[in-house]
Amino acid sequence: MTNRVLLVEDEPLIAMMLEDFLDVLDRQCAGTADCVEAAIPLVEAGGFDCAILDVNLRGGEKSWPIAAALAERHVPFVFATGGADDMIADEFRGRPILQKPFTLDGVEKALDALG
């Protein structure tokens, strides 16, 4: 089971809501980051089972470098987006998607699907 979850989300209120969801689901937030620069050291440090990556981060930044680092380490992750699948970079198409707005049920299903 994916108990320790890395969150990459640039909206503080949404990140807090996701942390609350994880708590309700008896899972642990293993760290949060709001940009690629903050997330990469967390990925390199490890200590988590999976990740939820917001596709669109602050200032138009995309989470692709984080996704690539996770994939390289064989760490499962789900993309969080309010947009359509066509927003996902070609190399990551087929990865699980968690649609915004988030629901407790949606987050639980997404994490359960990761293993």
Side-chain angles (χ1 to χ4, degrees):
M1 184 157 145
T2 52
N3 287 321
R4 294 165 302 168
V5 184
L6 173 66
L7 299 177
V8 180
E9 170 60 61
D10 64 333
E11 294 289 337
L13 289 175
I14 295 175
M16 286 190 293
M17 181 187 70
L18 282 171
E19 287 179 38
D20 289 344
F21 282 1
L22 292 177
D23 194 44
V24 169
L25 296 170
D26 201 27
R27 297 174 195 232
Q28 178 185 0
C29 177
T32 59
D34 62 0
C35 64
V36 171
E37 185 180 358
I40 293 296
L42 296 175
V43 171
E44 290 171 350
F48 56 92
D49 303 307
C50 65
I52 297 175
L53 304 181
D54 186 5
V55 170
N56 296 303
L57 301 170
R58 204 178 310 138
E61 187 176 57
K62 300 285 188 189
S63 61
W64 311 143
I66 307 162
L70 289 166
E72 188 177 291
R73 289 163 178 77
H74 306 287
V75 175
F77 60 90
V78 59
F79 285 117
T81 181
D85 288 352
D86 61 0
M87 294 178 57
I88 304 298
D90 288 345
E91 65 195 284
F92 300 115
R93 291 238 170 105
R95 292 281 183 167
I97 303 285
L98 175 59
Q99 288 291 336
K100 293 182 177 181
F102 299 126
T103 64
L104 182 64
D105 188 52
V107 171
E108 182 176 34
K109 285 179 179 166
L111 292 176
D112 285 348
L114 293 178

